[in-house]
Amino acid sequence: MLHGHGDDGYRHSQKIIADFSTNVWYGGEPAGLKEYIFSQWPTVNRYPEVLAESLAAQVAAHHGVAPAQVLISSGTTESLYLVAQAWAGRCSTVLTPSFAEYEDACRLHGHELRFRPWNELQPDTRLDSDLVFICNPNNPTGSVLESNVLDALLANNPGTVFVLDEAFIEFTTRIQTATPRLMRFDNLLILRSLTKAYAIPGLRLGYVVGPAALIARLVQQKAPWAVNALAAAAGNFIFAHYTKVQLPLSQLLADKAALAARLAENPGLEIFPSHTHYFLGATGHGTAAELKRWLLDRHGLLIRDAANFRGLTLAHFRIGTRNATDNLLLINALTEWTDSLA
């Protein structure tokens, strides 16, 4: 799905005043990161490390695992395409609605695909597939898979590899990362992103943590030098200053709650619960595509048309919370939208 994601402002000629279409932290990169990356410019005169080994060692130390259990990638999307390639031709279950690249990566590599509604996953669910892709917290819904459910699924399905996408784990207080479970389970791969919470999606950086045997299987598919030197430098900075570069999550979630509550008062909208800073809505008038175009043309506001998520409808859209001033712009604009169509 090359052109079906959020943060697609580059495709529009209008001036964008506030971008609610992206679920990347709106506050920008951590203080000092830009200056550090610029100081590393001489590294571009040489090839980077083949597998970003130095950064992998930092990540391993952070999570308390062996370096052989970490693979650095150029973002979560590359990670999941590597997984699909490493299990090419096998059977995969994709939960819906969720990130469309799971399905796209599997189709590219000849998987037999099965689909299961995300909210029907229970502790006693039995999965007869080689892989199952789970986004936790889920994109676009903001739902979470509780730790006791995940533990039961891993134990009850030992022949299935669970590909757990934690790209948005920094945006919730409901659950913690599943990396400690690698001490108990050998059928778990955890995909992490370093672009969402640190606002560097243009650098493309992420990693996979898992059992050494599964990571070695991914390494066999990995192209050399896929992580450029400046992206690796950004990762080095983040883990060297980890406690100082975390986003203000309590404030962000409080702003989300206030925004969602105000929008829920709009009779022309349906707002869905979420454990993250982003959430789904549905318009009772017209389609999300029409609403997106209207907001952009009239107010310079960009939202995510969510109709192309399998399992959602033409009315669904996704909103990523911004600051209180921007949020009020959206509240007022959506009130104008529903009033104009009433």
Side-chain angles (χ1 to χ4, degrees):
M1 188 173 63
L2 295 177
H3 299 293
H5 300 289
D7 197 11
D8 63 347
Y10 70 94
R11 304 184 70 200
H12 305 286
S13 59
Q14 298 92 331
K15 179 182 177 181
I16 297 174
I17 296 173
D19 185 357
F20 295 89
S21 75
T22 177
N23 38 27
V24 172
W25 161 235
Y26 70 83
E29 75 282 348
L33 175 59
K34 179 171 63 175
E35 293 77 10
Y36 178 76
I37 291 175
F38 287 172
S39 76
Q40 299 301 301
W41 182 260
T43 62
V44 304
N45 301 131
R46 303 185 303 274
Y47 280 96
E49 295 176 3
V50 173
L51 292 173
E53 293 91 338
S54 298
L55 179 54
Q58 278 187 287
V59 173
H62 175 79
H63 288 294
V65 300
Q69 291 182 259
V70 175
L71 178 62
I72 307 299
S73 70
S74 59
T76 297
T77 298
E78 191 210 3
S79 296
L80 67 92
Y81 273 81
L82 285 172
V83 172
Q85 184 178 3
W87 276 264
R90 307 299 285 272
C91 178
S92 290
T93 294
V94 176
L95 303 183
T96 60
S98 200
F99 190 37
E101 295 295 346
Y102 307 143
E103 178 180 347
D104 292 349
C106 288
R107 289 194 188 282
L108 179 65
H109 293 288
H111 289 228
E112 176 189 343
L113 277 166
R114 297 171 184 174
F115 299 98
R116 182 185 290 266
W118 206 94
N119 58 7
E120 291 185 6
L121 206 58
Q122 301 296 324
D124 58 354
T125 299
R126 294 300 193 272
L127 297 156
D128 55 352
S129 57
D130 300 295
L131 299 174
V132 58
F133 291 85
I134 302 175
C135 191
N136 197 32
N138 190 36
N139 174 28
T141 63
S143 303
V144 300
L145 189 69
E146 303 288 355
S147 58
N148 63 309
V149 178
L150 177 61
D151 287 344
L153 288 168
L154 289 164
N156 293 334
N157 298 274
T160 297
V161 175
F162 286 74
V163 184
L164 194 67
D165 182 354
E166 291 187 344
F168 300 101
I169 196 70
E170 293 91 351
F171 292 94
T172 186
T173 57
R174 180 75 179 201
I175 56 172
Q176 302 295 319
T177 179
T179 50
R181 286 167 176 77
L182 294 171
M183 299 291 292
R184 293 185 286 140
F185 298 103
D186 61 4
N187 58 333
L188 176 62
L189 282 171
I190 301 170
L191 278 51
R192 296 291 298 266
S193 171
L194 289 172
T195 64
K196 309 294 192 303
Y198 308 110
I200 52 171
L203 279 178
R204 311 307 307 134
L205 186 63
Y207 58 93
V208 187
V209 189
L214 299 187
I215 295 297
R217 186 166 179 168
L218 298 181
V219 170
Q220 292 176 355
Q221 314 299 326
K222 177 78 170 168
W225 310 304
V227 177
N228 72 71
L230 297 183
N236 292 333
F237 181 93
I238 289 168
F239 282 99
H241 303 84
Y242 193 79
T243 59
K244 298 179 181 180
V245 299
Q246 300 309 302
L247 56 83
L249 182 57
S250 295
Q251 183 61 56
L252 181 60
L253 292 179
D255 289 343
K256 187 287 295 277
L259 172 60
R262 287 291 304 276
L263 294 182
E265 297 172 357
N266 187 323
L269 303 175
E270 182 177 7
I271 302 300
F272 298 87
S274 164
H275 292 294
T276 64
H277 70 301
Y278 56 85
F279 55 93
L280 281 178
T283 176
H285 306 280
T287 67
E290 293 167 343
L291 173 57
K292 175 182 177 179
R293 173 55 59 185
W294 186 89
L295 286 171
L296 188 57
D297 290 343
R298 293 288 191 92
H299 297 278
L301 305 178
L302 188 62
I303 62 171
R304 167 70 155 96
D305 176 4
N308 62 343
F309 284 95
R310 182 183 290 270
L312 297 185
T313 72
L314 294 176
H316 283 92
F317 57 88
R318 190 192 68 199
I319 290 172
T321 301
R322 294 182 58 83
N323 60 60
T325 300
D326 288 347
N327 293 343
L328 184 59
L329 293 176
L330 182 64
I331 291 167
N332 292 337
L334 286 171
T335 298
E336 182 182 332
W337 159 264
T338 52
D339 288 348
S340 69
L341 295 176

